Amino acid sequence: MHPNADVLQGTLDLLILKAVSLESMHGWGISQRIQQFSSGVLEVNQGSLYPALHRLVKRKWLEASWGTSENNRRARFYKLTALGRRQLASETDTWRRFSAAVEAVLAVTAAVN
Amino acid sequence: MARLTRAIRWLRGLLGRVSDDEIDEELRFHLAMEAELLERGGMTRDLAVAEARRRFGGVVQHTEELRDVRGGRIMENLLQDVRYALRLSRRFPAFTAIVLLTLGISIGANTAIFSVVNATLLRPLPYLDDSRLAVLFSQNPDKSLPRFSVSYADFLDWRAQTRSFSGMAAGTGSSLTLIGDGEPLRLNGQSVTSDYFDVLGVRPERGRLFAAGDPATESASEIILTYDFWQRQLAGDPKIIGRRLRTGTGERTVVGVLPRSYDRDNPGVDAVTVLDPASIPGVENHAQHMLGVIARLKPGVTQAAAQADLSAVAGRLAERFPEIAGWTVNVFMARDEATRTLRSPLLVLLAAAGLVLLIGCINVVNLLLTRSTLREREVALRQALGAARSRLIGQLLVESGELAVGGALLGLVVAHFVLKLIVSRAPAGLLPSEIALDARVLLFTLVLAVATTLVAGLWPAVAATTPRLAKALRDGGRSSSGGIRALRARRMLVVAESSLALVLLVCAGLVIQSLRNILAVDLGFDPTRVVTMRVSLPGPRYNDTTQVQFFRDLQSRLEGRAGIDAVAAANTPPISAGGITTNLRLIGSARADGGKVMGPATAITPGYFRAMRMRLLRGRDVAWSDVKPTIVVSQAAANAYWPGESPIGRRIGFGPRDTVGFEVVGVVNDTRARGITVDTPLMIYLSYAGATNVARTMSLVVRGRGDAASIVATTRAAILEIDRTLPVYNVRPVTQVIDDSLGQSRLNTTLLTIFAMVALALAAVGIYGVISYSVTMRQQEIGVRMALGASSNNVLALVLREGGLLATTGTLVGLGAAYFATGLVQSWLFGIGRADPTTIAGTAAVLVAIALLASYLPARRAARVDPLVAMRGD
């Protein structure tokens, strides 16, 4: 396992964990939520969303169960586990440090220009 | 039914698996939601569904990827991988073509050689329980005669006194004339002891074989035919058993037909009769070597034990009979004996083909590494999406496996043609006729394909999936540090393949020069426009006087006819490994051995030297008018037997008891009578009048002016004028006899040379590939150098130096390996040492030159690069 091996993967995981941290949601809901939260900037590639969801379930950061959607369809809902909550906290922290570092670098570059 | 489905679902849930249905349902839900959203935005329903689907990128594909994540089923993966690999090969057509060609040629070479091995070394003899069948020879270590025929007297004593064998039988070649309605037909016969086929383990196709223990007199008028002869000459006559055949020595009754398999091991034999000991001249003499002996080991007796048993018996006999002092015996297993001349060259060729395959694999590894560099991003992305590493390695192995299988299929085609070449170039009788790509060969090819997959595919697969993902994604597929690491490994591969290629080149170089040396050998006679043919004078119709008279008559009739220059006869063809090697006695010699020597002797008729265009150095030729038989010796024999003295007037006795001997009347130049690569033999030429009892069958040599066919026709006509019942056979131009005797070395040389050339070409491709790759990797560096003032020529030199260095390193390593490898072809070499400096330096120079040539193209590309473009590193 390489938790920080990949920016894309790490970021998508973080976004998913964040999206389901408030309430349990189905896959489509998660993709809509991420899009809303980011004011439409981050569009989740639906092709990578479901593999990511299954992977997170496998890692026991999410729990999946079948339920009924808002329009009365059968849907698979994902819920954050305790392990997932801890992971969310630590990834949020890592991300903040990372983006701060990038910000700092960009600021320096701007000064040189 | 529904209950069952639920139960399965429950069970799957228990095992932590998500079923396919659930995946489908979840994705369908997603699509429905997406479509609903679009519909609310104002799209028609159909359009909304289509758009949702498009956005998702196809449900099927994602289902597959989800299965990936949860580690799906192996077969499903395999099928998917195969489909993917096929798509991929279409995406890289040049890559695919090069890999398939490389594998096709190298696997094909191996398959072809293995088919020959399979048809010869691996095939049992066509006899019952052939693993216990042994061949026995007299041997004389002092005279370097490991395989000498056995005397009848020895055979009887061996059979009576040994305990290791359940049976021992003997046989010898014989000739038989079949007198029918047309021209008399000469049969190639065998005469054997009556228990021969029991010991050999042969069952008849028809009728019966000789009854073991039969008094020889009872079987004396019987004859057994080979399957081939029965079919060919007697049209497979169904009532053949009991038929009476008229032969030159009386009527014989056909009692049986041998199975077809017998022909395979005894090609050319027409009929078998019982050996009549009374027909053997000097039958009671232990030194009268003339039989082939076979024996069957008792169960549990090893070859070594049998050898010890028989050696003890032979030792006692050698003490008791002075004429065989120094003689002992060799026991060889029949299976080993049957493939003796083939084994070592075949194994060498198999090893050479193996090297070619290894070089081919190295090239494929290189190509796969290059491609995996290009695909690094794809692999990284898939790993990011959660595909397990083992799954990816599996997929990459399937890809290389698919290439290997394709290569193997192509290899079968290549093998078919190589095999055709081998069979067409092989001298007659060397290889069995039915060499084919049978099940065992196909299995061998399959194993090669699997091995190739593992050897060539595993490393690139492991390298490609080594986690350095973040980097690969960031660099956008141009991961330079991984590239440099790969470059180092690939340079090592190229060094390895250059060294392997050098090994093959050195061996091929030595063998080619050996063949050239062989062809340049001064034979001592002129083989052009001479035709040789065998003629056999059957007793008792011909006696000592009429035998000689026949050849004298023939010579006087033929010489002077149109197109004929000279006619004579000898008991062996001009070049033959066989012939008589006999005990000689140099009468009146002061030598320490009392003048008792063993040497080759040939019976000739007057005019033989003239017909062969040999040079009489002293004295005269043998003559029809000689009252007593006379002798001419070769220069080497004269020097060896009477150093510093004139041999003329000396006498040589035949056999240890002969104290009178025959007079030496002349000396001729040396020839390669016993084979081109056999050192000049110490030849004793005895006039035929002195050898009529041992040589009823003679080889005519006819020198003419026209083509071979007309020479033969004229000769045949003259013979029939003298004796209407005499067949002529084994008709061959002497140049063809020589060609045939070189056939195997020519074939070996051709194959080894082809393999070496393929190896060289593959090494060149390998060097080209790595240098091209290196140039791409170093583009930025080269750009900087040029910006700092390096000229195009500097860059050219820089790249060429890299290629030259790789090849030189490979050469140095290869020289070490060649030192050992040349030991394997030592026995093929003639007139050249295995460490011949010219060959080694020459082949090394060729390899380096080819490497420089292969580096030149990428070097020129590098030198032409625009420094600005290069530095930007796009």
Side-chain angles (χ1 to χ4, degrees):
Chain A
M1 203 68 56
H2 309 273
N4 288 321
D6 181 57
V7 176
L8 188 88
Q9 178 187 352
T11 313
L12 181 58
D13 289 358
L14 177 59
L15 295 175
I16 293 171
L17 292 177
K18 182 70 190 170
V20 296
S21 66
L22 306 176
E23 53 173 325
S24 67
M25 304 181 82
H26 46 66
W28 188 76
I30 293 171
S31 74
Q32 293 300 307
R33 179 66 59 89
I34 291 173
Q35 212 168 329
Q36 277 168 18
F37 279 4
S38 66
S39 322
V41 171
L42 295 177
E43 191 162 339
V44 178
N45 177 357
Q46 297 167 351
S48 32
L49 174 67
Y50 285 93
L53 285 172
H54 283 249
R55 194 174 55 241
L56 295 181
V57 169
K58 220 176 163 186
R59 288 185 189 168
K60 305 213 182 336
W61 295 347
L62 294 183
E63 230 170 50
S65 57
W66 289 93
T68 314
S69 74
E70 54 275 23
N71 53 359
N72 277 329
R73 281 174 199 263
R74 217 171 100 81
R76 201 163 137 97
F77 282 82
Y78 296 88
K79 192 180 117 194
L80 203 61
T81 62
L83 199 64
R85 201 163 290 282
R86 272 204 296 285
Q87 182 67 21
L88 173 61
S90 95
E91 283 207 12
T92 310
D93 192 42
T94 308
W95 174 258
R96 291 217 165 108
R97 272 190 285 125
F98 176 69
S99 67
V102 172
E103 197 53 47
V105 171
L106 291 178
V108 169
T109 317
V112 168
N113 279 345
Chain B
M1 195 66 211
R3 219 189 221 166
L4 186 68
T5 319
R6 254 205 313 280
I8 290 173
R9 210 176 260 181
W10 173 78
L11 206 67
R12 274 182 177 159
L14 210 65
L15 293 170
R17 287 276 175 97
V18 187
S19 77
D20 289 353
D21 293 349
E22 290 190 333
I23 291 173
D24 284 349
E25 190 171 356
E26 184 174 17
L27 297 183
R28 269 202 305 275
F29 169 73
H30 182 107
L31 286 173
M33 294 297 282
E34 188 80 21
E36 220 166 86
L37 182 73
L38 292 167
E39 224 178 321
R40 258 182 282 148
M43 261 187 209
T44 64
R45 178 157 177 79
D46 289 354
L47 244 151
V49 169
E51 174 62 16
R53 215 165 250 278
R54 195 194 59 76
R55 282 189 187 181
F56 201 85
V59 178
V60 180
Q61 188 190 330
H62 288 288
T63 328
E64 279 181 16
E65 271 175 30
L66 285 179
R67 281 191 200 121
D68 251 26
V69 171
R70 66 191 165 86
R73 276 164 265 159
I74 290 174
M75 265 321 284
E76 231 167 75
N77 285 343
L78 193 65
L79 282 176
Q80 183 194 347
D81 289 347
V82 168
R83 277 199 304 273
Y84 184 73
L86 282 173
R87 272 208 306 275
L88 203 65
S89 0
R90 283 198 293 271
R91 230 173 75 202
F92 295 102
F95 167 87
T96 309
I98 292 176
V99 170
L100 285 183
L101 204 65
T102 304
L103 289 180
I105 290 173
S106 34
I107 291 181
N110 281 276
T111 303
I113 300 296
F114 181 78
S115 330
V116 180
V117 170
N118 180 42
T120 54
L121 306 191
L122 297 183
R123 196 165 55 171
L125 296 170
Y127 309 125
L128 299 175
D129 199 6
D130 70 306
S131 62
R132 289 198 289 121
L133 198 60
V135 187
L136 313 183
F137 291 102
S138 283
Q139 75 149 331
N140 191 323
D142 301 338
K143 291 166 181 158
S144 310
L145 300 170
R147 291 176 171 78
F148 212 71
S149 48
V150 179
S151 68
Y152 192 73
D154 268 353
F155 162 66
L156 291 180
D157 285 338
W158 291 358
R159 183 160 69 174
Q161 296 175 31
T162 49
R163 318 219 170 292
S164 306
F165 305 97
S166 59
M168 194 185 290
T172 181
S174 67
S175 66
L176 209 63
T177 305
L178 187 66
I179 301 162
D181 307 327
E183 213 177 288
L185 188 69
R186 179 178 131 110
L187 306 192
N188 249 327
Q190 286 178 331
S191 38
V192 300
T193 53
S194 59
D195 57 350
Y196 186 82
F197 292 113
D198 285 319
V199 175
L200 198 57
V202 176
R203 299 263 166 279
E205 172 81 24
R206 292 273 180 119
R208 61 171 173 87
L209 302 177
F210 300 126
D214 234 6
T217 45
E218 216 170 275
S219 306
S221 62
E222 294 176 352
I223 189 166
I224 292 172
L225 305 177
T226 61
Y227 188 91
D228 177 58
F229 181 77
W230 174 46
Q231 293 294 324
R232 184 166 39 83
Q233 284 297 331
L234 304 168
D237 178 5
K239 288 188 220 131
I240 186 68
I241 304 300
R243 191 166 146 181
R244 298 180 73 75
L245 298 179
R246 232 183 99 210
T247 70
T249 51
E251 281 209 336
R252 285 174 183 272
T253 311
V254 178
V255 295
V257 175
L258 286 162
R260 183 184 292 194
S261 60
Y262 188 79
D263 291 317
R264 203 178 82 196
D265 199 38
N266 302 270
V269 173
D270 300 315
V272 186
T273 54
V274 160
L275 176 70
D276 175 13
S279 72
I280 302 174
V283 64
E284 75 294 341
N285 184 352
H286 279 265
Q288 187 68 30
H289 300 271
M290 64 164 298
L291 296 177
V293 177
I294 56 165
R296 195 161 269 281
L297 297 184
K298 279 183 182 161
V301 175
T302 63
Q303 180 185 357
Q307 173 75 63
D309 181 14
L310 196 52
S311 292
V313 171
R316 284 202 298 274
L317 292 175
E319 274 172 29
R320 218 167 82 213
F321 301 101
E323 70 260 37
I324 52 168
W327 285 87
T328 172
V329 65
N330 256 334
V331 178
F332 296 119
M333 297 315 293
R335 258 194 207 180
D336 302 339
E337 237 2 62
T339 54
R340 185 166 62 93
T341 54
L342 282 172
R343 175 173 289 109
S344 119
L346 271 180
L347 293 182
V348 168
L349 287 173
L350 200 59
L355 282 189
V356 170
L357 181 60
L358 200 56
I359 296 173
C361 280
I362 290 178
N363 268 6
V364 172
V365 168
N366 256 330
L367 286 163
L368 285 173
L369 282 174
T370 304
R371 195 175 66 164
S372 65
T373 314
L374 297 175
R375 289 174 62 195
E376 222 164 44
R377 204 175 141 84
E378 174 205 330
V379 170
L381 195 67
R382 296 197 52 194
Q383 276 185 315
L385 287 172
R389 187 173 178 205
S390 59
R391 174 79 177 78
L392 283 174
I393 290 182
Q395 186 196 330
L396 292 173
L397 277 183
V398 166
E399 281 172 34
S400 45
E402 204 166 77
L403 291 168
V405 168
L409 290 178
L410 196 62
L412 287 177
V413 178
V414 172
H416 173 77
F417 287 105
V418 176
L419 210 52
K420 241 181 172 172
L421 173 89
I422 292 175
V423 171
S424 70
R425 292 288 192 92
L430 180 68
L431 300 176
S433 52
E434 65 273 26
I435 299 180
L437 302 172
D438 66 7
R440 186 146 49 167
V441 174
L442 292 181
L443 186 71
F444 172 83
T445 311
L446 184 71
V447 169
L448 277 191
V450 171
T452 306
T453 308
L454 290 177
V455 169
L458 201 54
W459 179 26
V462 169
T465 55
T466 303
R468 33 171 204 275
L469 315 165
K471 182 162 261 162
L473 287 175
R474 223 176 21 232
D475 291 356
R478 286 203 41 214
S479 158
S480 47
S481 70
I484 294 289
R485 195 164 51 228
L487 184 60
R488 208 172 301 138
R490 300 172 55 171
R491 284 192 180 134
M492 270 159 58
L493 286 179
V494 164
V495 167
E497 72 178 337
S498 314
S499 63
L500 294 179
L502 184 79
V503 169
L504 284 178
L505 277 179
V506 169
C507 289
L510 290 173
V511 172
I512 289 173
Q513 287 178 81
S514 297
L515 186 60
R516 193 177 303 155
N517 291 342
I518 291 172
L519 293 175
V521 161
D522 178 13
L523 296 170
F525 59 85
D526 176 8
T528 53
R529 287 201 301 283
V530 180
V531 180
T532 168
M533 60 200 98
R534 299 283 275 177
V535 61
S536 196
L537 306 176
R541 218 147 42 81
Y542 282 90
N543 60 33
D544 293 353
T545 320
T546 48
Q547 272 171 269
V548 178
Q549 187 55 42
F550 171 84
F551 289 105
R552 185 174 190 173
D553 197 4
L554 183 65
Q555 188 180 54
S556 60
R557 268 169 200 267
L558 260 179
E559 287 187 357
R561 284 198 187 176
I564 304 291
D565 282 341
V567 185
N571 69 321
T572 53
I575 287 234
S576 74
I580 301 169
T581 296
T582 185
N583 287 306
L584 301 171
R585 186 170 183 156
L586 311 173
I587 291 161
S589 169
R591 287 160 58 113
D593 56 12
K596 284 182 187 168
V597 295
M598 189 156 205
T602 295
I604 56 163
T605 64
Y608 183 76
F609 304 128
R610 185 163 45 88
M612 297 304 295
R613 295 231 171 110
M614 288 162 66
R615 296 183 311 281
L616 206 57
L617 305 174
R618 277 176 185 217
R620 62 170 180 88
D621 189 0
V622 299
W624 298 115
S625 55
D626 287 342
V627 182
K628 289 255 175 135
T630 49
I631 287 175
V632 172
V633 298
S634 69
Q635 177 78 57
N639 292 344
Y641 296 153
W642 302 279
E645 299 173 49
S646 168
I648 309 289
R650 302 278 176 177
R651 298 187 80 83
I652 297 178
F654 286 79
R657 290 177 202 146
D658 183 356
T659 52
V660 182
F662 302 122
E663 189 188 350
V664 176
V665 296
V667 179
V668 285
N669 67 299
D670 288 320
T671 63
R672 297 276 175 166
R674 293 292 162 100
I676 298 180
T677 56
V678 178
D679 281 343
T680 315
L682 311 180
M683 289 303 295
I684 303 293
Y685 298 95
L686 171 67
S687 63
Y688 183 50
T692 44
N693 58 335
V694 289
R696 288 199 162 272
T697 301
M698 295 287 278
S699 284
L700 290 176
V701 287
V702 184
R703 178 175 293 280
R705 280 176 301 254
D707 57 359
S710 66
I711 294 176
V712 174
T714 314
T715 310
R716 217 187 271 267
I719 289 175
L720 290 181
E721 283 168 27
I722 303 172
D723 184 340
R724 265 191 32 73
T725 68
L726 279 191
V728 178
Y729 57 101
N730 280 8
V731 180
R732 286 195 304 171
V734 176
T735 47
Q736 193 197 324
V737 176
I738 292 170
D739 264 8
D740 284 358
S741 77
L742 296 180
Q744 197 181 350
S745 22
R746 222 186 269 264
L747 180 64
N748 292 342
T749 306
T750 308
L751 288 173
L752 195 59
T753 307
I754 291 176
F755 290 167
M757 288 300 132
V758 170
L760 183 63
L762 289 176
V765 169
I767 289 172
Y768 170 82
V770 165
I771 298 295
S772 301
Y773 183 75
S774 154
V775 164
T776 315
M777 297 305 305
R778 293 169 73 184
Q779 207 171 28
Q780 293 198 30
E781 177 208 327
I782 291 170
V784 171
R785 278 171 186 269
M786 290 180 86
L788 292 177
S791 69
S792 296
N793 279 341
N794 292 145
V795 173
L796 202 68
L798 182 78
V799 179
L800 284 181
R801 201 179 308 140
E802 189 185 346
L805 196 67
L806 288 180
T808 312
T809 316
T811 303
L812 291 178
V813 177
L815 286 181
Y819 176 79
F820 296 100
T822 49
L824 297 175
V825 292
Q826 180 134 46
S827 63
W828 302 13
L829 301 188
F830 179 78
I832 191 167
R834 59 184 267 207
D836 180 57
T838 323
T839 310
I840 290 173
T843 46
V846 166
L847 184 68
V848 174
I850 295 279
L852 290 178
L853 209 63
S855 314
Y856 179 71
L857 289 177
R860 210 180 47 181
R861 205 163 57 227
R864 280 185 186 161
V865 93
D866 179 347
L868 285 178
V869 175
M871 273 195 295
R872 219 166 56 219
D874 287 335

